[in-house]
């Protein structure tokens, strides 16, 4: 699934068409949701990394504000987490897949926010 995901992310990042971006975001979300089930894992078994926990706390503190992956990566760097942008993007989509983060894909690039409980 790595090649499929990489190609979908490449198209997602290079297209300005919001319909296309929304479709690709939905496909990536479904892929992230279905892939663990195919390997026998469940969402509750997602191993959240230390930097993902920090991002969740950061987003929860800013409930009304959405943040781009690049802005989140900058914040992580300011907190001494050395995580590249691609890793941050994938980690955010993992959090979206398990319902901890929401994504809005209608703009030029996706923005993420804490999921409201």
């Amino acid at each position: 699934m790595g090649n499929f995901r990489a190609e979908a992310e490449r198209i997602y990042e290079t297209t300005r068409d919001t319909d296309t971006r929304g479709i690709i975001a939905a496909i990536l979300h479904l892929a992230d949701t279905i892939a663990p089930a195919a390997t026998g894992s469940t969402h509750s078994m997602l191993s959240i990394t230390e930097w993902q926990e920090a991002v969740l706390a950061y987003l929860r503190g800013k409930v009304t504000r959405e943040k781009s992956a690049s802005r989140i990566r900058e914040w992580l760097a300011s907190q001494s987490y050395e995580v590249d942008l691609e890793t941050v993007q994938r980690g955010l989509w993992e959090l979206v897949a398990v319902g901890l983060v929401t994504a809005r894909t209608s703009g030029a690039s996706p923005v993420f926010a804490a999921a409201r409980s």
Side-chain angles (χ1 to χ4, degrees):
M1 175 133 106
N3 292 338
F4 158 79
R5 182 173 192 64
E7 181 65 9
E9 286 176 351
R10 184 192 67 74
I11 294 168
Y12 182 84
E13 293 300 326
T14 58
T15 186
R16 292 257 182 226
D17 180 11
T18 56
D19 290 340
T20 301
R21 291 174 67 84
I23 292 166
I24 292 172
I27 290 170
L28 289 173
H29 175 75
L30 287 172
D32 286 341
T33 304
I34 293 168
T39 60
S41 301
T42 64
H43 296 307
S44 63
M45 297 178 74
L46 173 69
S47 177
I48 297 176
T49 64
E50 185 178 341
W51 71 261
Q52 284 174 311
E53 288 180 13
V55 167
L56 284 171
Y58 174 61
L59 291 175
R60 286 181 181 137
K62 312 269 185 208
V63 175
T64 59
R65 291 198 206 149
E66 299 170 318
K67 299 289 183 190
S68 67
S70 60
R71 176 65 189 107
I72 290 170
R73 200 212 67 67
E74 289 171 11
W75 179 83
L76 284 168
S78 76
Q79 302 298 308
S80 301
Y81 291 100
E82 295 300 322
V83 186
D84 63 73
L85 183 57
E86 182 178 337
T87 302
V88 170
Q89 289 171 330
R90 288 184 185 196
L92 287 167
W93 284 114
E94 288 174 0
L95 295 174
V96 168
V98 296
L100 297 172
V101 170
T102 62
R104 185 172 55 82
T105 60
S106 60
S109 63
V111 288
F112 301 90
R116 297 201 173 138
S117 347

